[in-house]
Amino acid sequence: MKKFKLTGFIIAGILVVICLFGSLFIVKEGEYKIILRFGEAIDSKSEPGLYMKVPFIDNIKVLPKYQMTYENVPTQIMTKDKKVILVDNYTVWRIDDPVKFNKTSHNVSDGAQRINEAVYNSVRRKLSEVNYDEIISENTARGDLNDEITKDVALSLQRDNYGIKIVDVRIKRTDLPESNKESVYNRMISDRQSIAARYLSEGDEESKKITSKADRSALELMAQAEADSKKIVAEGEQEAAKIYNEAYGKDPEFYNLYRTLESYVVTMSNNPVIMMPIDSPYAQILLGE
């Protein structure tokens, strides 16, 4: 009898240990643990530690908590100017709500498929609104497009309650199909040459305008300067005449003598030979009479 009791205690102890260990589970760093009851997610744990569940009823499902990168399948998109291009992009994402994610996607592969569909729809819609040369330019639309697509995809998945957080969507490559790549490149070169010719023509026209304006200003300045100089000379001559008249009015005889002496200086320069009547006033002054 005692033997049967001991065996019963041992079996009960084993069952208790099994139940105890069956009710415990560990959450590690970088993972979610979802508690499933009859196949339906009822709770999730994200912080590392030891947790309990109902043994034999609850099951545990593991999902990654870290960021993941999904490489979207290259697809053909038509731009606003009717060019077919091959678009290759990638998406950085993570599971934000494991319970919602489990209800809609079940596993990482299904979640990646949801992302692929949302990214394709957004990229197709956004690239159809811009021209090809705007897409390939690093200094114009590419940065804005990446940000717009990221925001658009994030809102789409959030609206559908997929439990997915979109961190970033980036376009890696936008290539033309080989069949029409050369013709499009030649067309782009022709367009750029046309734009360059227009800029050169506009620059030449502007240069002529500036030169003409400068020449006109120079002529106006020279004419004004000449008029000012003539005015100054006339005023100077007028002032000199005034001084002469004042001087002459004060002592006419002295003034006549002064002017006569000045004429002598001019006349006698370089030892000239002068013939004049001896009784002329000019000669008499020279002779000291």
Side-chain angles (χ1 to χ4, degrees):
M1 190 69 180
K2 289 182 180 180
K3 184 177 181 180
F4 286 116
K5 287 183 179 180
L6 180 60
T7 302
F9 281 128
I10 293 174
I11 293 172
I14 293 173
L15 291 174
V16 169
V17 172
I18 292 174
C19 290
L20 180 62
F21 278 98
S23 64
L24 299 175
F25 65 94
I26 298 174
V27 177
K28 299 179 182 179
E29 190 73 33
E31 68 177 11
Y32 293 111
K33 287 286 181 71
I34 302 176
I35 302 173
L36 301 175
R37 184 168 295 170
F38 305 114
E40 183 178 353
I42 61 171
D43 195 9
S44 67
K45 303 296 181 183
S46 59
E47 295 299 325
L50 184 65
Y51 298 90
M52 296 189 66
K53 64 181 181 65
V54 178
F56 308 112
I57 297 178
D58 294 344
N59 293 317
I60 300 299
K61 183 177 182 178
V62 182
L63 289 174
K65 187 181 177 182
Y66 49 82
Q67 288 189 171
M68 294 167 280
T69 301
Y70 175 70
E71 299 280 345
N72 294 79
V73 178
T75 54
Q76 289 191 349
I77 304 293
M78 182 173 289
T79 62
K80 183 179 180 180
D81 50 351
K82 307 304 179 184
K83 292 183 178 65
V84 178
I85 59 175
L86 290 173
V87 180
D88 187 11
N89 52 270
Y90 68 90
T91 304
V92 180
W93 68 288
R94 61 182 175 84
I95 298 173
D96 188 46
D97 189 325
V99 174
K100 289 182 180 179
F101 181 85
N102 184 73
K103 290 180 180 179
T104 57
S105 302
H106 303 296
N107 54 53
V108 173
S109 297
D110 289 346
Q113 185 59 35
R114 302 285 188 275
I115 293 172
N116 184 66
E117 294 170 358
V119 170
Y120 171 75
N121 291 333
S122 180
V123 169
R124 182 183 61 183
R125 183 170 61 256
K126 294 294 183 182
L127 296 189
S128 66
E129 298 172 354
V130 294
N131 294 324
Y132 177 70
D133 56 350
E134 295 177 299
I135 298 172
I136 63 175
S137 176
E138 292 293 341
N139 297 323
T140 55
R142 177 65 69 86
D144 294 338
L145 277 176
N146 287 329
D147 295 340
E148 289 177 10
I149 292 171
T150 300
K151 184 178 179 180
D152 189 52
V153 174
L155 290 175
S156 174
L157 295 176
Q158 183 180 1
R159 182 177 58 250
D160 294 334
N161 292 319
Y162 283 119
I164 293 174
K165 173 71 174 179
I166 299 296
V167 179
D168 196 14
V169 180
R170 292 282 146 182
I171 298 175
K172 296 195 301 181
R173 182 183 57 168
T174 51
D175 287 342
L176 292 164
E178 293 297 331
S179 58
N180 63 345
K181 182 181 292 185
E182 184 175 356
S183 63
V184 172
Y185 282 165
N186 290 335
R187 189 166 160 192
M188 291 174 63
I189 291 172
S190 177
D191 291 342
R192 291 298 180 275
Q193 289 175 342
S194 176
I195 293 172
R198 189 179 77 244
Y199 285 159
L200 288 173
S201 177
E202 292 174 353
D204 186 52
E205 183 178 355
E206 188 66 21
S207 173
K208 290 179 179 178
K209 288 181 180 179
I210 295 172
T211 302
S212 176
K213 184 177 179 181
D215 291 342
R216 186 169 60 252
S217 298
L219 289 174
E220 291 175 354
L221 289 172
M222 290 178 66
Q224 184 64 41
E226 186 175 357
D228 291 342
S229 68
K230 289 181 178 179
K231 182 179 178 182
I232 293 170
V233 170
E235 291 175 351
E237 291 177 348
Q238 184 179 1
E239 186 66 23
K242 181 180 177 183
I243 295 172
Y244 287 151
N245 289 333
E246 290 177 353
Y248 183 78
K250 290 180 179 180
D251 194 343
E253 292 182 0
F254 175 78
Y255 183 74
N256 285 332
L257 176 62
Y258 176 75
R259 295 290 289 175
T260 302
L261 292 175
E262 280 189 336
S263 70
Y264 290 161
V265 173
V266 175
T267 302
M268 298 302 171
S269 297
N270 299 321
N271 299 318
V273 177
I274 301 174
M275 297 181 68
M276 65 181 68
I278 193 64
D279 57 348
S280 67
Y282 199 77
Q284 290 178 359
I285 294 175
L286 284 174
L287 294 174
E289 295 180 0

